[in-house]
Amino acid sequence: MSLHLTTDDWVVIAGVSTVIYMVAMRWCMPTPKAKRQISFVPLGGSVLLVPNAAVEGYSASFTLYLYSCLLLAFVIMLVPVGKRVAADTLEQEQKPWDKVPLNTFSLYWFAFSSTGCIVAMLYIWPAIN
């Protein structure tokens, strides 16, 4: 069974994904500086992704699919370990001369969840295209 979504559907999905990303990521960030930095990711993603997709000849639907998946992947990767990452971010901003050691669980979670997101992206696109 294949579900075909139009470009208009993908525009709505991309908008909802952006809102979810902004709320979740700003919640995870401990300082105004970190909140501000994380807020520019959707803009940067759209500025980099859209021209690249046009050059590569990707459809608008596929481009919006990638944009939505990437934003939601960031949420999936960061929210479960958000408190630890927030604490590390805060410590690094307070002591920029000291290197904050990597949290082992967070590192493994990023690797596991990013792999899962990539597999899901590859599996889902043919089913909805």
Side-chain angles (χ1 to χ4, degrees), residues 26-78:
R26 290 183 63 84
W27 172 77
C28 289
M29 294 296 113
T31 64
K33 178 182 176 185
K35 289 178 191 301
R36 197 172 38 255
Q37 288 174 335
I38 209 74
S39 296
F40 287 111
V41 170
L43 175 64
S46 61
V47 167
L48 296 173
L49 189 60
V50 172
N52 185 46
V55 168
E56 296 289 333
Y58 298 146
S59 69
S61 294
F62 184 68
T63 303
L64 292 167
Y65 172 75
L66 285 178
Y67 172 84
S68 299
C69 286
L70 290 173
L71 288 183
L72 294 176
F74 279 123
V75 171
I76 291 167
M77 290 181 340
L78 188 59

Side-chain angles (χ1 to χ4, degrees), residues 73-104:
F74 279 123
V75 171
I76 291 167
M77 290 181 340
L78 188 59
V79 168
V81 293
K83 285 187 177 192
R84 182 71 235 165
V85 171
D88 291 347
T89 301
L90 183 60
E91 183 180 350
Q92 188 66 59
E93 284 187 14
Q94 290 174 343
K95 298 185 244 174
W97 52 87
D98 291 337
K99 182 169 172 32
V100 175
L102 292 173
N103 178 278
T104 305

Side-chain angles (χ1 to χ4, degrees), residues 102-124:
L102 292 173
N103 178 278
T104 305
F105 176 77
S106 296
L107 188 62
Y108 285 126
W109 174 253
F110 286 150
F112 173 76
S113 62
S114 62
T115 302
C117 287
I118 291 168
V119 169
M121 286 172 59
L122 294 173
Y123 180 76
I124 292 171

